Amino acid sequence: MSNLNVDKEPKITLLGAGPGDPDLLTLKGVKALQTADVVLYDALINEALLAYAPETAIKVYVGKRSGEHSYQQDAINKLMVDYALNFGHVVRLKGGDPFVFGRGYEELDFADSYHIPVTVIPGISSAIGVPGLQQIPVTHRGLSESFWVITGTTTSGAISADIYQAAHTNATVVILMGLKKLAQIVAVFEKAGKDQLPVAVIQNGSAADEKFVVGKVNTIVDIVKKEKIAAPALLVFGEVVSLHPSFKTLIQSYANIA
């Protein structure tokens, strides 16, 4: 810890890294990293972004894994404040956007309790950016007037109650952290009479190893198994998925079989 500098004013930047492609980081985010004394970064960020930080900056991996969120988040909060008090500018680099299932406000609130100023720099959320990169709009005139962004798995391990409500709307439903619950989620949409609703599943959205599949509510589970889609993956339920070229090809193949 030779970088210790008690003369620097402590400050924290909550920075959204975007969905994975390092080129999707904002210009303001690059400028924040260039002035960092410490970078605390998560599991899902592209480590190429660390090159924007000074060579002298301390880079600390604080990746979180499922099943340990409560303990790890508490530790991250304390670590973030300790580094700010002792080293100056801490950039808390988080995947996607800090305030979309990123628990960014918890970190902001903890820093505020120590009277440490916090700046928030939004990132491109995977909920919108990843479908968009696949040319799937989350809203489209005549198909979807709104969209829901829902967590697939709550802290209790159950699927979110909001999914039951969303399934009865015409909105586009984007579900994060829901791949392990796909069969249960599909059952909710089937019960709502949406067995023919288009669905897309996108693994590692925007990254070099991205995988993408489309189907319908009543076929998507088998397609995901066949194509060996794995987490992290994002689910998109909605008529807007029908705009994707591969969905049109899929429908044609069904027609040929019939």
Side-chain angles (χ1 to χ4, degrees):
M1 293 201 173
S2 57
N3 291 16
L4 186 65
N5 192 334
V6 294
D7 296 327
K8 289 192 175 184
E9 289 293 324
K11 65 176 181 177
I12 294 169
T13 300
L14 296 181
L15 171 58
D21 181 346
D23 288 345
L24 294 176
L25 180 70
T26 63
L27 180 58
K28 191 168 186 176
V30 171
K31 292 177 179 178
L33 283 169
Q34 289 173 338
T35 63
D37 297 302
V38 181
V39 181
L40 304 182
Y41 63 99
D42 274 349
L44 296 180
I45 71 107
N46 191 314
E47 293 191 16
L49 295 177
L50 300 178
Y52 287 118
E55 287 186 14
T56 55
I58 300 168
K59 288 94 173 178
V60 183
Y61 173 75
V62 291
K64 295 187 293 180
R65 297 298 181 186
S66 61
E68 300 179 343
H69 287 181
S70 295
Y71 167 75
Q72 290 195 346
Q73 187 62 55
D74 181 59
I76 290 168
N77 290 348
K78 294 175 181 176
L79 197 63
M80 180 181 66
V81 165
D82 285 346
Y83 272 116
L85 293 173
N86 288 292
F87 292 88
H89 183 203
V90 173
V91 173
R92 178 70 178 97
L93 186 59
K94 305 169 75 66
D97 180 89
F99 287 172
V100 181
F101 300 115
R103 303 184 72 173
Y105 189 79
E106 295 175 41
E107 296 175 358
L108 185 156
D109 192 47
F110 190 83
D112 186 61
S113 71
Y114 284 83
H115 306 290
I116 298 173
V118 179
T119 299
V120 178
I121 301 178
I124 297 174
S125 172
S126 62
I128 300 172
V130 166
L133 289 166
Q134 284 290 344
Q135 301 180 29
I136 297 174
V138 291
T139 62
H140 184 70
R141 185 176 297 180
L143 290 181
S144 175
E145 298 175 355
S146 63
F147 62 95
W148 293 53
V149 180
I150 307 174
T151 179
T153 307
T154 65
T155 53
S156 68
I159 66 172
S160 171
D162 287 347
I163 293 174
Y164 294 88
Q165 298 182 53
H168 288 278
T169 74
N170 292 323
T172 303
V173 182
V174 180
I175 302 176
L176 308 181
M177 300 168 286
L179 187 64
K180 291 181 180 179
K181 303 285 187 181
L182 180 60
Q184 290 177 251
I185 294 168
V186 160
V188 172
F189 278 87
E190 287 178 331
K191 191 173 181 180
K194 301 286 186 69
D195 61 302
Q196 295 298 303
L197 188 69
V199 184
V201 180
I202 310 167
Q203 173 187 329
N204 292 324
S206 85
D209 56 349
E210 178 181 88
K211 294 180 71 173
F212 174 87
V213 295
V214 293
K216 293 185 176 182
V217 165
N218 62 355
T219 63
I220 195 64
V221 171
D222 290 338
I223 292 170
V224 164
K225 287 180 181 177
K226 180 182 177 182
E227 299 299 326
K228 298 180 180 178
I229 302 298
L234 175 147
L235 318 177
V236 185
F237 290 77
E239 293 294 346
V240 292
V241 175
S242 67
L243 299 173
H244 194 275
S246 63
F247 185 82
K248 298 171 185 177
T249 303
L250 182 70
I251 295 303
Q252 185 58 51
S253 68
Y254 287 159
N256 292 339
I257 292 172

